[in-house]
Amino acid sequence: MKPRIGIPQALLYHRYYPAWNKFFEELDCEVVDSKASTKETVNAGVRLAVDEACLPVKLFLGHVQYLKDRVDYLFIPRVISIGSKEYLCPKFMGLPDMVRYNIDDLPPIIDTTLNLRDSKLNLFKAALEVGEVLGKGSWQVNKALWKALIELRKHRKEMKDKVNSEAKYKVGVLGHEYIIYDPHISMNLIGKLKKMGVEVITAEMLSKSSLKKGVSHLSKNMFWTLSKQMLGAGHHFFDRNDIDGIIQLTAFGCGPDSLIGEMIEREAKRRRSQPFMTLNLDEHTGEAGLLTRLEAFIDMIKWEGI
């Protein structure tokens, strides 16, 4: 019988799931995800987390709670860095510990450390550690990792190919993938904009060179990978004449968002070149209120004759 690996459908799931799924499949495992977020998922996470935790962490705990009795292992890597001389938010480093502290009766957690700050070769080391837990040899692990990287490259190309050039209006949406692409937390913002005839462009649809150019004006290198991507996308959108408006999604309680979101807002006010709106989401945000603000935002773009 294949071991069942549980992958919570939150946080880095939205960035790496195609690769993680392929990797474990190649190791003869059955991958079980926690399904799409629901109100029950959020409520479960809120009950489990400390009050100070950010919304994405609360949501993650809710997904773990759903999975814990359905799988043989939980895959919750301790991700420190995914880029050279950069880091992720500290919540990714402490995620396995937060899960263990807040949830009882857990199956074994595969919490291998991923730290690519000094060398990309550490990815192979992390993969071998996972293979060791599952009793797999190095040849099978390396083959699985290679196929997983191909799958991830294919997924990212598909994201870039999603641009619909026939839409009348284009709106850049800024925010973390685990907010934008979670239909429950974002209240299907992308779907709502598309129904209004708006083409949505996110950071994941941009090239690395565009994101890099977007942060080239900074006086020092920003070492938070995800925030750097968000800031780079923001400046890229500000510089494009074909972007009719920009919407920024931030999560309540997110430390990096409180800084980067403010930097982007200030730049938007300084330039005044496109309509700009920030939506701060938490577990209490109402869908009707969000829809009203979206409709008003799109109407503003139309009235300004852009």
Side-chain angles (χ1 to χ4, degrees):
M1 186 175 177
K2 293 182 176 180
R4 293 168 299 168
I5 310 295
I7 301 181
Q9 195 166 322
L11 292 175
L12 294 179
Y13 169 98
H14 296 283
R15 188 180 184 94
Y16 293 120
Y17 179 73
W20 290 349
N21 182 54
K22 190 67 176 177
F23 178 73
F24 285 112
E25 281 185 352
E26 290 296 319
L27 294 182
D28 301 319
C29 297
E30 178 188 352
V31 175
V32 181
D33 71 33
S34 50
K35 313 299 179 189
S37 303
T38 63
K39 185 174 177 56
E40 288 70 31
T41 317
V42 176
N43 289 342
V46 170
R47 286 194 296 271
L48 290 164
V50 295
D51 292 341
E52 294 77 11
C54 64
L55 176 61
V57 167
K58 291 175 180 174
L59 183 65
F60 189 87
L61 294 179
H63 280 279
V64 173
Q65 178 71 13
Y66 172 87
L67 276 175
K68 72 183 185 75
D69 297 323
R70 293 175 166 86
V71 297
D72 301 309
Y73 297 91
L74 283 167
F75 180 59
I76 308 176
R78 189 184 305 278
V79 184
I80 296 174
S81 170
I82 58 174
S84 177
K85 299 180 181 178
E86 293 179 356
Y87 293 99
L88 292 191
C89 168
K91 66 174 174 281
F92 293 103
M93 306 178 199
L95 203 54
D97 303 317
M98 282 192 277
V99 169
R100 289 191 179 99
Y101 180 80
N102 288 289
I103 304 178
D104 297 325
D105 303 321
L106 292 165
I109 295 177
I110 301 175
D111 60 351
T112 183
T113 298
L114 181 65
N115 185 356
L116 308 186
R117 183 185 185 280
D118 297 323
S119 172
K120 290 183 179 179
L121 294 177
N122 287 337
L123 177 61
F124 293 92
K125 180 182 175 184
L128 288 171
E129 287 178 358
V130 175
E132 188 175 342
V133 172
L134 299 172
K136 306 298 179 182
S138 59
W139 184 85
Q140 186 179 4
V141 171
N142 285 329
K143 181 182 174 186
L145 179 59
W146 180 253
K147 290 192 175 182
L149 292 174
I150 292 174
E151 197 68 22
L152 185 60
R153 195 176 301 126
K154 178 183 171 186
H155 167 70
R156 288 179 175 169
K157 183 179 183 307
E158 288 173 351
M159 289 295 294
K160 290 181 173 62
D161 291 342
K162 280 185 176 180
V163 176
N164 172 20
S165 58
E166 295 182 358
K168 188 173 181 180
Y169 300 105
K170 292 181 183 176
V171 168
V173 175
L174 298 170
H176 299 302
E177 290 158 294
Y178 46 84
I179 297 294
I180 294 176
Y181 295 109
D182 187 309
H184 181 75
I185 290 299
S186 70
M187 285 168 275
N188 194 23
L189 179 132
I190 291 179
K192 286 181 170 62
L193 286 172
K194 286 183 176 178
K195 278 187 179 179
M196 296 176 191
V198 174
E199 176 187 340
V200 175
I201 302 177
T202 66
E204 293 70 43
M205 299 174 185
L206 305 178
S207 66
K208 284 186 179 178
S209 59
S210 298
L211 296 175
K212 187 176 180 181
K213 185 180 178 184
V215 291
S216 60
H217 67 285
L218 296 177
S219 58
K220 60 183 289 187
N221 185 41
M222 179 171 288
F223 52 80
W224 290 339
T225 301
L226 303 185
S227 298
K228 184 178 180 180
Q229 176 178 304
M230 194 167 151
L231 191 59
H235 281 265
H236 174 81
F237 292 153
F238 288 135
D239 289 338
R240 281 179 57 169
N241 294 326
D242 64 335
I243 296 292
D244 303 308
I246 300 171
I247 297 174
Q248 177 173 239
L249 290 184
T250 60
F252 180 77
C254 175
D257 274 5
S258 64
L259 173 63
I260 302 304
E262 180 68 18
M263 290 173 69
I264 293 174
E265 275 194 22
R266 289 188 182 191
E267 186 66 17
K269 289 176 183 175
R270 187 182 72 82
R271 298 203 186 201
R272 297 184 181 278
S273 54
Q274 297 134 312
F276 180 89
M277 175 172 69
T278 293
L279 297 170
N280 186 252
L281 303 174
D282 65 13
E283 57 267 33
H284 305 298
T285 303
E287 186 167 0
L290 177 84
L291 183 59
T292 300
R293 294 191 67 183
L294 280 184
E295 289 174 342
F297 186 75
I298 300 304
D299 285 344
M300 181 168 59
I301 291 175
K302 293 176 180 176
W303 290 339
E304 290 194 359
I306 295 174

